[in-house]
Amino acid sequence: MTTTEPKSATQRPRKMALEPKAAPAEQGGTTTAAPIKRESKVDLILGLLKRPEGATIAQLVAATGWLPHTTRAALTGLKKKGHVVTSEKLEGEGRVYRVAVA
């Protein structure tokens, strides 16, 4: 812990806001593998869209908890990242979105 010297006898030593953390090997511990990356909601949407049956906006909203306009914006973001997002209108189901799997 890095502290600065107190200016007088009544002051406490200050703690630095951001202290550098020692690497696990320096602490005497063993090194472990990198932490597993959590799946983001965009990854969840991409997984649903890669299914053969695709996904509707209602299914994507239920899976993410987002509002429909936010979900459609995520689809636009996937398109901008280079994914081929297709949609088709099905009778009784509404619009079904899919991502072409290479």
Side-chain angles (χ1 to χ4, degrees):
M1 183 167 27
T2 307
T3 59
T4 59
E5 293 296 320
K7 293 183 180 183
S8 71
T10 59
Q11 288 183 335
R12 298 183 308 185
R14 291 183 6 190
K15 292 182 183 177
M16 300 302 290
L18 296 175
E19 296 177 2
K21 295 184 179 180
E26 293 174 5
Q27 295 174 349
T30 60
T31 58
T32 59
I36 298 172
K37 182 183 175 200
R38 288 182 33 195
E39 185 177 81
S40 68
K41 289 184 180 181
V42 174
D43 293 334
L44 176 65
I45 286 177
L46 198 54
L48 292 172
L49 295 176
K50 286 183 178 179
R51 300 181 305 176
E53 66 271 13
T56 63
I57 287 291
Q59 291 169 337
L60 296 173
V61 166
T64 60
W66 290 340
L67 294 173
H69 67 276
T70 308
T71 306
R72 285 189 294 274
L75 293 176
T76 302
L78 288 174
K79 289 179 185 178
K80 288 183 178 181
K81 289 181 182 177
H83 296 282
V84 180
V85 179
T86 60
S87 68
E88 64 179 298
K89 179 88 167 150
L90 297 180
E91 289 291 324
E93 274 192 60
R95 191 161 294 277
V96 176
Y97 296 89
R98 291 184 181 88
V99 169
V101 179

